[in-house]
């Protein structure tokens, strides 16, 4: 939803997530909706002419240009010993009017502290899950 609000005249939007398939899903959804969106993952790159948006894996997120809206997904992976540096890089390095972080509430306190330390505003919003989680039987 946040990416839909991104104004192309103000820099467009970027989605950065943990998985190639999530980035591909966002890329396809945006282009189906008529929003020119490019894709960048470790395995593939699809440059769309005149793209105002970009969907990528967290390691491939472009810190420049200035974006209108950035979405960093699965922010709780900030604490991951192997890939957490990529979330730190995105959170502290992205140049965007708004940065939306999605993920487990466990990370909220750390994200708030980082935002305050950088002199940025922090607003916590929680949302109801759109689809229920189901446990698969073993």
């Amino acid at each position: 939803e946040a990416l839909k609000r991104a104004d192309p005249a103000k820099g467009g939007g970027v989605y950065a997530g943990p998985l190639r398939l999530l980035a591909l899903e966002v890329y396809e959804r945006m282009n189906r909706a008529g929003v020119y969106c490019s894709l960048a993952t470790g395995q593939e790159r699809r440059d769309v002419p005149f793209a105002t948006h970009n969907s990528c894996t967290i390691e491939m997120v472009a810190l420049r240009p200035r974006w209108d809206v950035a979405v960093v997904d699965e922010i709780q992976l900030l604490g991951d010993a192997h890939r957490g540096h990529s979330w730190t890089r995105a959170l502290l390095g992205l140049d965007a009017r708004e940065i939306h972080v999605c993920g487990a509430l466990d990370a909220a306190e750390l994200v708030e502290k980082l935002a305050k330390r950088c002199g940025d505003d922090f607003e916590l919003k929680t949302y109801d899950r759109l689809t229920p989680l189901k446990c698969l039987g073993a």
Side-chain angles (χ1 to χ4, degrees), residues 6-35:
D7 185 345
K10 294 180 182 174
V14 63
Y15 167 85
L19 302 172
R20 184 187 76 78
L21 288 176
L22 286 173
L24 180 62
E25 181 182 319
V26 170
Y27 161 83
E28 289 175 343
R29 188 174 339 121
M30 296 298 282
N31 282 292
R32 271 196 309 270
V35 177

Side-chain angles (χ1 to χ4, degrees), residues 20 23 25 29 34 41 53 58-59 75 81 92 95 112 131:
R20 184 187 76 78
E25 181 182 319
R29 188 174 339 121
T41 72
H53 289 61
I58 194 77
E59 290 85 359
I75 193 63
L92 297 179
D95 185 11
E112 181 176 14
T131 55

Side-chain angles (χ1 to χ4, degrees), residues 39-123:
L39 174 73
T41 72
Q43 289 91 9
E44 113 183 82
R45 185 171 193 95
R46 296 182 192 177
D47 291 316
V48 174
F50 310 107
T52 57
H53 289 61
N54 193 31
S55 181
C56 55
T57 51
I58 194 77
E59 290 85 359
M60 299 297 290
V61 69
L63 302 181
R64 301 289 181 269
R66 179 166 174 79
W67 302 99
D68 186 36
V69 174
V71 176
V72 178
D73 202 0
E74 300 297 342
I75 193 63
Q76 71 275 6
L77 291 172
L78 192 71
D80 183 80
H82 302 288
R83 294 178 70 201
H85 65 281
S86 296
W87 275 265
T88 303
R89 175 183 167 269
L91 188 61
L92 297 179
L94 277 165
D95 185 11
R97 183 180 58 81
E98 292 180 15
I99 298 177
H100 296 251
V101 295
C102 308
L105 284 174
D106 300 4
E109 185 179 341
L110 177 58
V111 172
E112 181 176 14
K113 285 180 182 177
L114 287 170
K116 300 287 185 201
R117 190 159 187 122
C118 292
D120 293 322
D121 296 328
F122 175 84
E123 181 180 345

